[in-house]
Amino acid sequence: MARPTSEEKRKAILDAAERLVAETGTGVSTAKIARAAGVAEGTVFVYFETKSMLMNALLGTLEAELAAAFSVGSRPGDGGRGDIRHVWDRLIAWGSAHPAKWRALKRLKVSEYITEASRREMDALFGELIAMLAETIRRHAGDAIAPDYAGVVLNALAEVTFERIAAEPDRSRHYTDLGFNFFWNGITAGKSG
């Protein structure tokens, strides 16, 4: 007979995994995750058959949360600076409000526990956003900058911006504006836009 499951326990396990992955990486043991969640180690496997399944579920939860942050409000639809600024502001707001989630997300994305199927699923969450960014970059930078490279630069600038905001929260708007201007000026430097 299968044991009954509880959404509260599942959430506690995911929350503990998120916190510990953010602190120490995906090498954290399921025993440590179970202790932090206040459950027996075997309980982790009632909800997630393997550690890989737990890590993939955590990635899915975090990516869905981040994707939802981008859907707040509507983009200006200008195909340029306004659309990119909209994305940037939402990324910075989410990452600044949830630094542990951001760190866990970064660590999960490079983890050997994440399956290719999960990676494709997560990419699909951002399909429209990635297409808009690629088209905007193509329109404003031409062939000078590959969209995937621009995405890496955007994430790196976001990371620096999160760190500055954490160090100086009263200057949040300043660092948000500064980071965006670095990005926009960088992609439009070779071509007017």
Side-chain angles (χ1 to χ4, degrees):
M1 174 186 229
R3 290 181 270 183
T5 57
S6 151
E7 189 55 36
E8 283 180 9
K9 284 184 183 176
R10 183 179 191 283
K11 184 175 178 345
I13 293 165
L14 285 170
D15 288 348
E18 174 191 305
R19 193 170 52 256
L20 292 168
V21 166
E23 290 171 8
T24 63
T26 59
V28 63
S29 71
T30 54
K32 194 167 185 177
I33 292 168
R35 276 193 304 279
V39 300
E41 185 175 6
T43 303
V44 170
F45 299 108
V46 169
Y47 294 88
F48 308 97
E49 289 180 35
T50 64
K51 183 175 177 181
S52 180
M53 291 175 99
L54 170 58
M55 295 297 137
N56 282 276
L58 179 57
L59 177 65
T61 299
L62 293 172
E63 289 277 46
E65 198 175 305
L66 178 57
F70 287 122
S71 67
V72 176
S74 57
R75 289 191 311 267
D78 67 356
R81 184 180 174 92
D83 282 347
I84 300 286
R85 181 61 195 245
H86 175 87
V87 169
W88 173 261
D89 285 348
R90 275 149 184 74
L91 176 61
I92 297 304
W94 189 83
S96 296
H98 308 289
K101 290 178 187 289
W102 179 260
R103 280 191 307 278
L105 197 54
K106 279 182 39 183
R107 289 180 166 168
L108 286 162
K109 285 185 173 198
V110 297
S111 172
E112 69 278 3
Y113 290 107
I114 304 305
T115 65
E116 283 307 311
S118 282
R119 290 183 198 285
R120 285 191 301 276
E121 200 176 305
M122 298 311 108
D123 287 347
L125 283 174
F126 298 95
E128 182 183 332
L129 179 67
I130 290 167
M132 182 276 296
L133 287 170
E135 176 57 24
T136 300
I137 290 163
R138 187 200 57 73
R139 186 177 300 125
H140 294 280
D143 294 331
I145 300 173
D148 59 338
Y149 177 76
V152 171
V153 171
L154 182 86
N155 278 329
L157 280 169
E159 182 87 17
V160 170
T161 303
F162 299 148
E163 289 175 12
R164 295 311 313 149
I165 290 171
E168 299 178 68
D170 56 324
R171 299 191 70 200
S172 173
R173 182 82 264 153
H174 168 74
Y175 288 119
T176 300
D177 292 344
L178 189 60
F180 174 75
N181 288 330
F182 270 122
F183 180 74
W184 184 256
N185 292 338
I187 68 166
T188 58
K191 182 177 176 183
S192 61

